[in-house]
């Protein structure tokens, strides 16, 4: 068995990548699926779309590679996190569309819990803040709003899962209801110090614990696929939420190492080792990965809108047709205009956590046009990343390494990566394999299958494509970041 199949189920598309025994990609397939916005601030997915695109792209990747399923040693899964599904244990039918991580419908619930003084207790257990972003309040909403759901849940008839759990359930034909420690750590229901579901929080949110999946390490036996899917049973041996999988794929195994992934959103993680570091700057304390029962922790900062701001330029403003057009537009922009875009389309994430905020543009002149909007959109990603790293360094101290490893679709833009390095005042390393989310999932499965060795061996194979170093003078950097700070303050004041 010479190959590993990685399933990468994202917010806007599903992908499957087949890797060889040296974890080099040999074939891939990708399929987008619709986004549903039933009300302002609400975001949903059709669970059937999530499953059908995963099954279809997995089969397509295997076919493109021209290999037999008998050559696949294992499957690794990585997924959009926090997105919440509940389904019938007997029929496998979801009771409602999936509520996506971006969805803000439970903002009022979170506000009530905060007003009751409960956030400190929840943060101490889960490492998370009270925000609609996480799964716990979404589960409560589903049980409260879907007719008969709470009674069915209390009778043990329903199952909850994040997307990984939904995929495992379908891949195994409903035989396995499981998740991994990284996805569990994003639910608002999991005690990351004790490594177990928190009964007190479940009671607080009125979530029956019978709903919850079994929690495994990231590299572990999660069950076998149905034989009819690929022609034979294939073991599922690796699972991690997308940002944690990217941390593994970037080989950030040493405390102090940092990575930032640029997909729909932007997510930066700082490895803090076996230390659970509580944040004083409204970052999240989370599980980076868990191997052999031992969790490795991280500080995480989450930006809701990164690559999605380019989609907005394309689909909302219609000033580009393809993402790659943003770079030449940004280069052509009149820098002296200093247009600033705060892309708070679904609220502000870390370190502000203001779900009520909405997007704003500052500094428009009569001459502002598509080029200035494109530049402001790309620059907003750099500014938001600096917000996260400033908070991380304040929490972790000087032990944080100065180099940021980056991955995801936006890293293909040299202009964006150079601005990121400039505004951070730090080196930015782009690896040769930028699809590190799928790579991390593949590595976890390959390690569990015995195809490849431990983290040290994998870290030795990490290869640099290009290092971006700061070219901007400190005075300009400070002035630009100060203007960003004023724009953020103004946005939050509305």
């Amino acid at each position: 068995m010479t190959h590993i199949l990685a399933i990468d189920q994202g917010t806007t598309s599903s992908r499957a990548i087949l890797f060889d025994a040296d974890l080099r990609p040999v074939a891939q397939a990708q399929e987008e699926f619709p986004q549903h916005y039933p009300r302002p601030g609400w975001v949903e997915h059709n669970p059937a779309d999530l499953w059908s695109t995963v099954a279809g792209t997995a089969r397509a990747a295997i076919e493109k590679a021209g290999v037999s399923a008998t050559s696949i040693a294992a499957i690794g899964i990585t997924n959009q996190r926090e997105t919440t599904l509940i389904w019938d244990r007997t029929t496998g039918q979801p009771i409602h569309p999936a509520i996506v991580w971006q969805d803000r419908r439970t903002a009022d619930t979170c506000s009530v819990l905060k007003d009751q003084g409960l956030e400190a207790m929840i943060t101490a257990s889960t490492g998370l803040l009270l925000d609609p972003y996480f799964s716990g309040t979404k589960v409560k909403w589903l049980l409260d709003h879907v007719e008969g759901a709470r009674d069915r849940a209390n009778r043990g008839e329903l199952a909850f899962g994040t997307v990984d759990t939904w995929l495992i359930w379908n891949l195994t034909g409903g035989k396995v209801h499981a998740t991994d420690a990284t996805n569990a750590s994003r639910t608002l229901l999991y005690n990351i110090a004790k490594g177990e579901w928190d009964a007190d929080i479940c009671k607080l949110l009125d979530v029956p614990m019978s709903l919850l999946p079994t929690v495994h390490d990231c590299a572990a036996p999660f069950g076998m696929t149905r034989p009819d899917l690929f022609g034979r049973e294939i073991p599922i041996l690796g699972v991690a939420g997308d940002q944690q999988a990217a941390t593994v794929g970037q080989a950030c195994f040493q405390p102090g190492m940092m990575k930032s992934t640029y997909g729909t959103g932007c997510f930066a993680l700082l490895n803090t080792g076996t230390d659970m570091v509580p944040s004083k700057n409204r970052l999240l304390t989370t599980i980076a990965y868990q191997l052999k029962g031992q969790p490795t922790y991280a500080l995480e900062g989450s930006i809701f809108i990164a690559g999605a701001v380019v989609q907005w330029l394309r689909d909302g403003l219609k000033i580009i047709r393809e993402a790659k057009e943003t770079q030449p537009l940004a280069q052509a922009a009149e820098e002296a205009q200093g247009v600033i875009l705060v892309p708070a389309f679904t609220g502000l994430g870390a370190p502000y956590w203001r779900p009520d905020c909405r997007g704003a543009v500052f500094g428009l002149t009569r001459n502002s046009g598509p080029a200035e909007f494109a530049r402001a959109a790309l620059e907003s990603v750099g500014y938001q990343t600096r917000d996260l790293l400033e908070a991380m360094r304040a929490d972790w101290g000087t032990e944080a390494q100065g180099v940021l490893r980056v991955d995801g679709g936006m890293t293909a833009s040299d202009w964006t990566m150079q601005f990121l390095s400039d505004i951070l005042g730090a080196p930015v390393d782009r690896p040769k394999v930028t699809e590190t989310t799928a790579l991390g999932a593949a590595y976890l499965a390959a390690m569990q299958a015995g195809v490849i060795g431990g983290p040290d061996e994998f870290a030795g194979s990490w290869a640099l494509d290009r290092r971006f170093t700061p070219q901007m003078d400190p005075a300009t950097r400070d002035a630009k970041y100060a203007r960003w700070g004023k724009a953020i303050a103004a946005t939050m004041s509305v």
Side-chain angles (χ1 to χ4, degrees), residues 203-277:
K203 184 177 180 180
L204 175 69
L205 295 179
D206 203 8
V207 173
M209 296 188 73
S210 61
L211 270 178
L212 307 177
T214 302
V215 182
H216 296 306
D217 288 347
C218 298
F222 286 85
M224 306 291 287
T225 64
R226 291 165 20 204
D228 60 303
L229 284 174
F230 306 112
R232 63 173 283 265
E233 292 183 334
I234 302 174
I236 304 165
L237 298 182
V239 178
D242 52 11
Q243 304 314 314
Q244 286 92 338
T247 302
V248 170
Q250 286 279 31
C252 289
F253 297 126
Q254 298 301 315
M257 295 185 74
M258 297 184 293
K259 76 89 197 174
S260 189
T261 298
Y262 298 93
T264 301
C266 163
F267 303 86
L269 269 77
L270 166 66
N271 185 325
T272 62
T274 56
D275 294 333
M276 262 183 62
V277 177

Side-chain angles (χ1 to χ4, degrees), residues 437-461:
T437 303
L439 177 62
Y443 168 67
L444 291 167
M447 180 177 63
Q448 182 68 17
V451 173
I452 194 170
D456 289 344
E457 179 181 330
F458 180 67
S461 67

Side-chain angles (χ1 to χ4, degrees), residues 283-315:
L283 298 177
L284 309 176
T285 305
T286 195
I287 296 176
Y289 51 88
Q290 182 170 303
L291 302 174
K292 298 180 179 178
Q294 174 60 60
T296 293
Y297 296 100
L299 284 168
E300 177 178 330
S302 307
I303 297 167
F304 298 147
I305 301 294
V309 76
V310 177
Q311 292 176 322
W312 174 68
L313 295 177
R314 181 192 68 189
D315 302 333

Side-chain angles (χ1 to χ4, degrees), residues 301-343:
S302 307
I303 297 167
F304 298 147
I305 301 294
V309 76
V310 177
Q311 292 176 322
W312 174 68
L313 295 177
R314 181 192 68 189
D315 302 333
L317 297 187
K318 302 187 185 303
I319 61 175
I320 59 169
R321 289 171 296 178
E322 296 180 273
K324 64 183 181 181
E325 296 174 26
T326 55
Q327 177 164 315
L329 272 175
Q331 290 171 321
E334 188 179 333
E335 185 176 5
Q337 286 196 40
V339 175
I340 291 181
L341 168 66
V342 179

Side-chain angles (χ1 to χ4, degrees), residues 131-154:
D131 189 86
Y133 177 28
F134 306 109
S135 310
T137 57
K138 301 181 195 298
V139 177
K140 175 176 171 55
W141 188 94
L142 287 168
L143 296 181
D144 288 342
H145 289 81
V146 177
E147 185 177 358
R150 186 167 296 286
D151 288 340
R152 294 169 68 192
N154 288 331

Side-chain angles (χ1 to χ4, degrees), residues 38-51:
R39 297 186 191 178
W42 291 27
V43 190
E44 295 179 349
H45 289 157
N46 184 337
D49 290 341
L50 303 181
W51 167 236

